[in-house]
Amino acid sequence: MKKTFVTKEKLQEIIKEVPTPFHLYDEKGIRENAAAVKKAFSWNKGYREYFAVKAEPNPVLMSILKEYGVGSDCSSLTELILSRAIGNTGDMIMFSSNDTDPYEYVYANELGAIVNLDDLTMVKCFEDAVGQFPKTMSCRFNPGGIYQLSNGIMDNPGDSKYGMTEEQLKEAFTIMKSKGVENFGIHSFLVSNTLTNDYYPELARTLFELAVRVQKETGCHITFINLSGGVGIPYKPEDKANDIAIIGEGVRKAFEEILVPAGMGDIALYTEMGRFMTGPYGALITTAIHEKHIMKEYIGVDACAANLMRPAIYGAYHHITVMGKEDAPATETYDVTGSLCENCDKFAVDRKLPKIDMGDILYIHDTGAHGFSMGYNYNGKLRSAEVLLHEDGTWEVIRRAEKTTDYFATFDNMPVYEEIVKGIPNADK
Ligand SMILES: *Cc1c(COP(=O)(O)O)cnc(C)c1O
């Protein structure tokens, strides 16, 4: 059974001041996990996790991770600015973008970020934009074909828009070496949300063998290998969680078998996890406000896909707990829906749940990564607040909910909206 990290009483206390819907984060869980990640790779001298900012771009949460030595993995100007704002600059930033606007390279370089080029054509693009190369550069690798793990998980890098072939990567390295680059990194991201302790070790093996070939053939000094993201979390109750300690040991074994004998044991390992760092430690808190009985049974809640898009776009499963009914039998079959004028706006389809009464608080699990951050304003919906539950049970709003005035703020020539929304109930909700 999946557990909530907060009690119904605590939620009722928060809701008195912060109306639903909102995303709630568990500081204790984030800290314990960040410490476990650090420990799992502590055998590697240069190890660093670069948190994928896109997963949960909140400065308070990023600052908590920073206490564990975690840097920022950015892919846009805004994410770079956010990282700088929490004090991550220089080699604390990995800039892993694609289809990049040249001005973003300029700012990344100004911050001293490590730039990870997605494509061979980006070598010239970077040079044209920035003028010269820094001492350290990285390139993203795409092995092509079908990537299959020993346990059967497959993905299709041959159909992926990211990364360079081995030949392209060698060419990029050779060009950059001739232009003064001294330290090289290799990066690859092949499969998303893997639920196996084998993914990182198998990817590491692929990249370590590649690194040995590349260093031998190009003479480029490879100083780091970035395993990127993709370590998954158990969204479903029957899923088995990854064990980061076992994953770290698996990578160590590959490191000792491949890199150490090749005289490359000084290579630093980097990771760029998003989902694994914060995913399980966030929940979308929402209230049941309507029920409909048509061909199916529907429960309407006050959150919608604009607060959590994953079910609508990937059909992703997010577990739901009805607060106070944790032990009640799941006698009903519901579609749990939001209010968007889109039929995909359903947090759950044909879900077995206990009988839901209007006013019940629903806890939608595992929204701590790619949850709030994918939010959008369709149907004029406003982004929700984010609340952090501290270890001692106190809590803090770490991002206020958007107001209608925020929505109208980009209509520069229509200040009249400010006047109109004044006095409208809930317009400032
Ligand atoms: C999304 C992304 C990540 C993080 O992926 P998770 O699956 O959340 O761990 C890391 N690196 C890059 C380049 C990404 O695009």
Side-chain angles (χ1 to χ4, degrees):
M1 196 173 95
K2 282 180 78 79
K3 289 209 159 43
T4 62
F5 57 74
V6 64
T7 61
K8 183 182 173 189
E9 290 67 36
K10 178 62 71 181
L11 280 179
Q12 285 169 327
E13 174 195 317
I14 299 172
I15 289 169
K16 266 191 210 137
E17 288 180 48
V18 186
T20 55
F22 57 85
H23 286 269
L24 182 70
Y25 302 96
D26 174 27
E27 180 171 2
K28 182 165 182 278
I30 290 172
R31 285 186 181 279
E32 285 173 359
N33 184 65
V37 167
K38 189 174 176 186
K39 184 155 172 256
F41 290 94
S42 57
W43 54 267
N44 180 262
K45 222 165 74 225
Y47 173 73
R48 180 172 290 152
E49 152 72 5
Y50 290 89
F51 177 59
V53 173
K54 72 166 191 255
E56 180 43 41
N58 187 295
V60 175
L61 301 183
M62 288 164 67
S63 298
I64 291 173
L65 291 173
K66 186 173 160 64
E67 289 179 40
Y68 299 83
V70 172
S72 302
D73 162 39
C74 302
S75 62
S76 69
L77 182 73
T78 311
E79 290 179 354
L80 286 167
I81 293 171
L82 184 52
S83 299
R84 180 183 178 168
I86 65 141
N88 275 347
T89 58
D91 66 1
M92 288 294 280
I93 300 177
M94 182 72 57
F95 188 57
S96 282
S97 60
N98 71 92
D99 193 14
T100 311
D101 241 309
Y103 69 88
E104 296 179 313
Y105 282 142
V106 173
Y107 189 63
N109 189 63
E110 240 172 76
L111 290 183
I114 301 173
V115 173
N116 180 38
L117 299 179
D118 173 63
D119 189 72
L120 181 55
T121 56
M122 291 295 114
V123 175
K124 182 165 187 307
C125 175
F126 181 93
E127 191 183 19
D128 288 347
V130 175
Q132 67 193 54
F133 288 98
K135 291 266 174 287
T136 303
M137 289 294 291
S138 172
C139 288
R140 183 167 183 165
F141 171 61
N142 181 337
I146 300 285
Y147 191 79
Q148 179 155 21
L149 296 174
S150 54
N151 66 2
I153 292 182
M154 273 200 280
D155 216 322
N156 191 356
D159 194 34
S160 143
K161 68 169 177 167
Y162 309 108
M164 309 183 193
T165 66
E166 180 167 343
E167 289 316 307
Q168 290 174 330
L169 185 132
K170 286 176 189 159
E171 190 181 335
F173 276 21
T174 305
I175 295 169
M176 291 194 287
K177 184 167 184 267
S178 76
K179 293 176 186 279
V181 176
E182 292 170 6
N183 311 310
F184 292 86
I186 296 178
H187 167 285
S188 195
F189 186 178
L190 301 184
V191 193
S192 220
N193 193 29
T194 55
L195 271 187
T196 164
N197 294 325
D198 299 334
Y199 171 59
Y200 263 4
E202 291 193 27
L203 172 64
R205 229 163 251 283
T206 304
L207 297 185
F208 294 168
E209 284 165 359
L210 173 71
V212 172
R213 285 197 299 276
V214 170
Q215 180 154 312
K216 208 192 266 162
E217 289 172 36
T218 64
C220 293
H221 182 210
I222 295 169
T223 56
F224 68 84
I225 287 171
N226 185 340
L227 300 175
S228 191
V231 179
I233 58 168
Y235 285 101
K236 295 182 177 162
E238 65 270 24
D239 287 343
K240 193 167 175 301
N242 287 323
D243 184 331
I244 198 67
I246 294 175
I247 290 173
E249 274 310 300
V251 175
R252 185 220 285 256
K253 201 157 163 271
F255 192 93
E256 283 169 359
E257 282 174 24
I258 301 164
L259 289 181
V260 174
M264 295 165 72
D266 59 342
I267 283 185
L269 287 183
Y270 298 157
T271 54
E272 264 175 5
M273 292 181 278
R275 197 184 313 274
F276 190 78
M277 301 306 289
T278 51
Y281 317 112
L284 175 59
I285 310 300
T286 183
T287 304
I289 54 173
H290 296 291
E291 53 188 314
K292 302 208 284 193
H293 319 281
I294 30 180
M295 270 61 83
K296 292 165 93 173
E297 293 297 302
Y298 294 94
I299 296 293
V301 297
D302 58 4
C304 66
N307 306 112
L308 176 66
M309 200 185 197
R310 298 186 70 256
I313 57 169
Y314 317 122
Y317 181 95
H318 279 266
H319 198 65
I320 296 177
T321 296
V322 185
M323 297 306 292
K325 297 181 178 174
E326 289 82 352
D327 301 318
T331 53
E332 314 300 310
T333 304
Y334 292 123
D335 281 14
V336 178
T337 76
S339 54
L340 293 188
C341 303
E342 287 288 341
N343 201 40
C344 64
D345 186 13
K346 296 180 176 180
F347 292 113
V349 174
D350 297 331
R351 185 74 59 88
K352 292 272 181 211
L353 286 166
K355 168 121 188 38
I356 294 175
D357 295 299
M358 294 308 92
D360 277 353
I361 304 166
L362 271 55
Y363 176 110
I364 303 180
H365 291 249
D366 302 316
T367 70
H370 314 295
F372 177 93
S373 60
M374 281 186 174
Y376 56 113
N377 283 127
Y378 190 58
N379 265 171
K381 295 294 175 180
L382 304 174
R383 290 182 182 79
S384 77
E386 296 188 286
V387 180
L388 178 63
L389 181 64
H390 296 302
E391 297 185 65
D392 64 1
T394 60
W395 53 273
E396 173 191 0
V397 175
I398 55 173
R399 186 195 304 260
R400 69 159 169 82
E402 274 181 347
K403 302 174 181 185
T404 45
T405 42
D406 295 315
Y407 183 95
F408 296 131
T410 43
F411 300 130
D412 281 340
N413 299 321
M414 296 187 134
V416 64
Y417 284 113
E418 291 251 0
E419 284 305 311
I420 294 172
V421 299
K422 257 186 214 151
I424 296 182
N426 288 338
D428 279 355
K429 190 176 161 186

